[in-house]
Amino acid sequence: LARIAVDAMGGDLAPRSPVAGALLAVGELPPEHTIVLVGRTAVIQEELDRLAAVDPSGAASARDRISIVEAPDVIEMSDRPTTAIRGKPLSSMVVGLKLHAAEKVDAFVSAGNTGAQMASSVFLLKLHHGLTRPAIAAMIPTLRRPVVLVDAGANVDCSAEELVQFARLGSVYAEDILGRPDPAVGLLSNGEEEEKGNSAVKEAHKLLVHAGLNFIGNVEGRDILSAGSARGALDVVVCDGFVGNVLLKFYESVPELIFRMLTAAGVTQDLLTHTFEGFDYSDYGGAPLLGVKGISIISHGSSSPRAVKNAIRVAVRAVESRMNDHIGRRLGHAAVTSV
Amino acid sequence: LARIAVDAMGGDLAPRSPVAGALLAVGELPPEHTIVLVGRTAVIQEELDRLAAVDPSGAASARDRISIVEAPDVIEMSDRPTTAIRGKPLSSMVVGLKLHAAEKVDAFVSAGNTGAQMASSVFLLKLHHGLTRPAIAAMIPTLRRPVVLVDAGANVDCSAEELVQFARLGSVYAEDILGRPDPAVGLLSNGEEEEKGNSAVKEAHKLLVHAGLNFIGNVEGRDILSAGSARGALDVVVCDGFVGNVLLKFYESVPELIFRMLTAAGVTQDLLTHTFEGFDYSDYGGAPLLGVKGISIISHGSSSPRAVKNAIRVAVRAVESRMNDHIGRRLGHAAVTSV
């Protein structure tokens, strides 16, 4: 049984996308799971009514599994992260995360201001013992199976110790959410040899060898899409959030290039859409903010209803697999063994 | 008139690729340009004879434009960079760069050990005044026109001042080699806002505003392939060599993904090859090591004859455009104005 709070006011397409995404989710998820939409009640109700008029049966069956919690204020995409907590305590994001901190819900999902969600999540949910920062885990579609990239953008300047923390967090994520036992962890660098890397990466390499993880060494940019180098499988790619952000945004721009060039060459849009189906970002929907004592799922600002629905599914899986307990235990264990 | 020294022993496919590439180059270039193949004379001569047997007329017309300079030793791909100068003074790389330093040739091209080529180039040719490091300029094919990425891998830990140096170097390169007047320079970051970036990038942003370049601000990973953000064109992307290396290697792995998925979906190999022709790395062939007082062109270790030929063409263009003088003057000017 998972109770998921969804920020109904967050994202470029709110409230439409979060509300429609919640309806899609209750249609797909087993009946024990429920959703709390957080935001301006009148606006949310209006959107629910509008959608009920389009699909009366779906809306009726969903009604007793979706509730609303009032939050009169909204954090804008342009607001500074600290504004969220200090300036807008009645915003949908802060109210939603407080519901989670008070254990009224088991997870929080938002397509709103990412910086504000990170800051509020750390402030309200707190970090697990032994961590200095949270990290975003993004899923990268590859030729074989998705690879987890941590950090995808939460931290721009990272120490070697923080890179090791990301490796631990990513490892639990891959195990719990992707069902990969003993996930293979690679450290992104500018060469496979252990002496390659910037100073933080070189130091992290040394620490990772003794971290008790399935560390396969450095991996290069070219190893990601093949989901592994010559040395075998790859489940988790560790990098700082600056590199992670640049790489992910670059990757997201590749489909447009492919589509434009190939449709110009006469390949049909249908064939391309079908072929690259698994590469659609909204298949994954949400990237969890790992390291906080709770489940805070970050969605793209431009999330479609389908993307929000999938973000909710990621949240449910995180709750069901008890990912958060596992992270706490893994970090506690690491702290003990490294003393 | 350009005299180009080519490392006949450098690269995974040497001596075949460098020798065949030199022959292709003299076939294409105007007759005033000549090539010096540097390496083991007997091996090079044997390869020239073999190619002459295949194409007698091409070889005959080329004979008086290709000469050989003996260098008995070879730097292996696995040798440490410093080994080159200290341990192998008679290697093809060191002998070739010494020819250039002595002004016997105007440029040097190699597909050999990149680290050794960088170290030897800095040691033998020296850096331009005001520079602390050289940088590699790589050409990235995009939907519109190629974009220059500096640094593509020469420096893993970079200061803000070094990022500004890369911007100056890349700007002259785009102007002289790509013929772009007043090239638009973007700083790669994790957001367009000037406050985004790791600490070196944030500091570099401030310096670039007053650097006398056509600085368009931060660009994101997604702006590269569209050759520009909403703000307009983009000619030069500045980043540290760690990020540049990861990004380039990632990009180089994308075609395999596209080809595998689309041929599995029934699209013909021919159509794909034709559509993505301009995206073939060997179209560019060589990335110049900018900042040294000379022209040192770095080619992929796996360069084909066509790639070597194109690297020679890049060298010729650099000589003809007097790129090196321009870099020296631009840096001298920058040094004066910033005092």
Side-chain angles (χ1 to χ4, degrees):
Chain A
L1 168 147
R3 300 156 301 174
I4 314 293
V6 175
D7 180 355
M9 317 307 288
D12 304 328
L13 307 175
R16 183 149 306 181
S17 265
V19 173
L23 276 171
L24 287 176
V26 292
E28 278 187 27
L29 292 167
E32 65 270 26
H33 302 303
T34 54
I35 290 175
V36 178
L37 289 168
V38 186
R40 291 177 180 147
T41 307
V43 172
I44 296 170
Q45 193 57 59
E46 189 185 329
E47 193 62 33
L48 281 170
D49 293 344
R50 200 186 61 76
L51 290 164
V54 180
D55 175 16
S57 70
S61 73
R63 205 157 292 156
D64 51 342
R65 293 171 57 198
I66 296 184
S67 56
I68 301 175
V69 166
E70 169 69 11
D73 216 348
V74 175
I75 293 178
E76 305 297 338
M77 295 308 243
S78 56
D79 281 345
R80 300 229 155 215
T82 43
T83 308
I85 312 156
R86 297 199 195 134
K88 295 185 173 174
L90 296 180
S91 61
S92 54
M93 195 178 279
V94 173
V95 170
L97 281 165
K98 277 184 176 162
L99 284 177
H100 186 15
E103 295 182 37
K104 297 267 197 315
V105 298
D106 307 299
F108 175 72
V109 173
S110 177
N113 184 321
T114 298
Q117 186 175 353
M118 289 195 297
S120 310
S121 298
V122 170
F123 185 76
L124 294 168
L125 303 175
K126 313 293 178 199
L127 287 172
H128 279 289
H129 181 75
L131 290 184
T132 52
R133 297 192 189 178
I136 298 173
M139 210 83 96
I140 300 194
T142 78
L143 262 174
R144 293 168 64 188
R145 47 190 199 171
V147 163
V148 178
L149 182 94
V150 246
D151 173 29
N155 313 282
V156 288
D157 289 296
C158 298
S159 67
E161 289 74 17
E162 282 161 348
L163 291 172
V164 175
Q165 291 174 13
F166 302 165
R168 289 194 198 287
L169 293 170
S171 186
V172 177
Y173 181 72
E175 204 163 333
D176 282 10
I177 304 295
L178 301 181
R180 313 249 177 104
D182 202 25
V185 177
L187 179 63
L188 192 59
S189 190
N190 59 320
E192 295 203 334
E193 307 84 354
E194 62 173 274
E195 69 271 15
K196 286 291 176 79
N198 57 29
S199 52
V201 165
K202 279 189 273 194
E203 181 63 26
H205 187 109
K206 288 180 202 156
L207 298 173
L208 281 166
V209 169
H210 304 290
L213 298 168
N214 179 14
F215 178 53
I216 61 164
N218 286 355
V219 293
E220 298 186 88
R222 70 166 69 98
D223 298 325
I224 300 173
L225 292 184
S226 55
S229 62
R231 282 161 299 167
L234 177 66
D235 298 302
V236 180
V237 174
V238 176
C239 60
D240 71 47
F242 184 87
V243 175
N245 177 288
V246 165
L247 202 58
L248 267 186
K249 285 187 180 155
F250 182 81
Y251 192 28
E252 284 175 41
S253 75
V254 168
E256 196 197 331
L257 179 112
I258 301 173
F259 272 59
R260 280 222 215 168
M261 293 189 69
L262 285 170
T263 49
V267 178
T268 66
Q269 186 89 30
D270 271 5
L271 179 104
L272 291 171
T273 308
H274 183 254
T275 305
F276 291 101
E277 212 170 12
F279 287 76
D280 183 350
Y281 205 83
S282 60
D283 280 347
Y284 299 103
L289 185 71
L290 301 178
V292 294
K293 290 182 187 166
I295 309 291
S296 180
I297 309 287
I298 295 170
S299 288
H300 234 272
S302 58
S303 287
S304 64
R306 182 157 171 269
V308 173
K309 181 260 291 175
N310 284 329
I312 293 169
R313 291 187 72 105
V314 171
V316 169
R317 230 172 308 147
V319 173
E320 287 184 329
S321 67
R322 308 180 62 80
M323 177 181 84
N324 217 355
D325 291 351
H326 295 166
I327 287 175
R329 239 183 293 153
R330 179 78 68 93
L331 293 170
H333 182 68
V336 170
T337 54
S338 69
V339 164
Chain B
L1 169 147
R3 300 157 301 175
I4 314 293
V6 175
D7 180 355
M9 316 307 288
D12 304 328
L13 307 175
R16 183 149 307 181
S17 265
V19 174
L23 276 171
L24 286 176
V26 292
E28 278 187 26
L29 292 167
E32 65 270 26
H33 303 303
T34 55
I35 290 174
V36 178
L37 288 167
V38 186
R40 292 177 180 146
T41 307
V43 172
I44 297 169
Q45 194 56 58
E46 190 183 330
E47 193 63 33
L48 281 170
D49 293 344
R50 200 186 61 76
L51 290 164
V54 179
D55 176 16
S57 70
S61 72
R63 203 158 293 156
D64 51 342
R65 293 170 58 198
I66 296 184
S67 55
I68 300 174
V69 165
E70 168 70 13
D73 216 348
V74 175
I75 294 177
E76 306 297 336
M77 295 307 245
S78 56
D79 281 345
R80 300 231 156 214
T82 43
T83 308
I85 312 156
R86 297 197 195 135
K88 295 185 173 174
L90 296 180
S91 61
S92 54
M93 196 178 278
V94 173
V95 170
L97 282 165
K98 278 185 175 163
L99 284 178
H100 186 15
E103 296 182 36
K104 297 267 198 315
V105 297
D106 306 299
F108 175 72
V109 173
S110 177
N113 184 320
T114 299
Q117 187 175 352
M118 290 195 297
S120 310
S121 297
V122 170
F123 186 75
L124 295 168
L125 304 175
K126 313 293 177 198
L127 287 172
H128 279 289
H129 181 75
L131 290 183
T132 52
R133 297 193 189 177
I136 297 173
M139 210 82 96
I140 301 194
T142 79
L143 264 173
R144 293 168 64 187
R145 47 190 200 171
V147 162
V148 178
L149 182 94
V150 246
D151 174 30
N155 313 282
V156 288
D157 289 296
C158 298
S159 66
E161 288 74 17
E162 282 162 349
L163 291 172
V164 175
Q165 290 174 14
F166 302 165
R168 290 193 198 288
L169 293 169
S171 187
V172 177
Y173 181 72
E175 204 163 333
D176 281 9
I177 304 294
L178 301 181
R180 312 248 177 104
D182 202 23
V185 177
L187 179 63
L188 192 59
S189 190
N190 59 319
E192 296 202 334
E193 306 85 354
E194 62 173 275
E195 70 271 15
K196 286 292 177 77
N198 57 29
S199 52
V201 165
K202 279 190 272 194
E203 181 63 25
H205 187 109
K206 288 180 201 156
L207 298 173
L208 280 167
V209 169
H210 305 290
L213 298 168
N214 179 13
F215 177 53
I216 61 164
N218 286 354
V219 293
E220 298 186 88
R222 69 166 69 97
D223 298 325
I224 300 173
L225 292 184
S226 55
S229 62
R231 283 161 300 168
L234 177 66
D235 298 302
V236 180
V237 173
V238 175
C239 61
D240 71 47
F242 184 88
V243 175
N245 177 288
V246 165
L247 202 58
L248 266 186
K249 285 187 181 155
F250 182 80
Y251 192 28
E252 284 175 40
S253 74
V254 168
E256 196 196 331
L257 178 112
I258 301 173
F259 272 59
R260 280 222 216 167
M261 292 190 68
L262 285 169
T263 49
V267 178
T268 66
Q269 187 90 31
D270 270 5
L271 179 104
L272 291 170
T273 308
H274 183 256
T275 305
F276 291 101
E277 212 171 10
F279 287 76
D280 182 349
Y281 206 83
S282 60
D283 280 347
Y284 299 102
L289 185 71
L290 301 178
V292 294
K293 290 182 186 166
I295 309 291
S296 181
I297 308 288
I298 294 170
S299 288
H300 234 273
S302 58
S303 287
S304 63
R306 183 159 170 269
V308 173
K309 181 262 289 175
N310 285 328
I312 294 170
R313 292 186 72 105
V314 171
V316 169
R317 230 171 308 147
V319 173
E320 287 183 329
S321 67
R322 307 180 60 80
M323 178 181 84
N324 217 354
D325 291 350
H326 295 166
I327 287 175
R329 241 184 292 153
R330 179 77 69 93
L331 293 170
H333 182 67
V336 170
T337 54
S338 69
V339 165

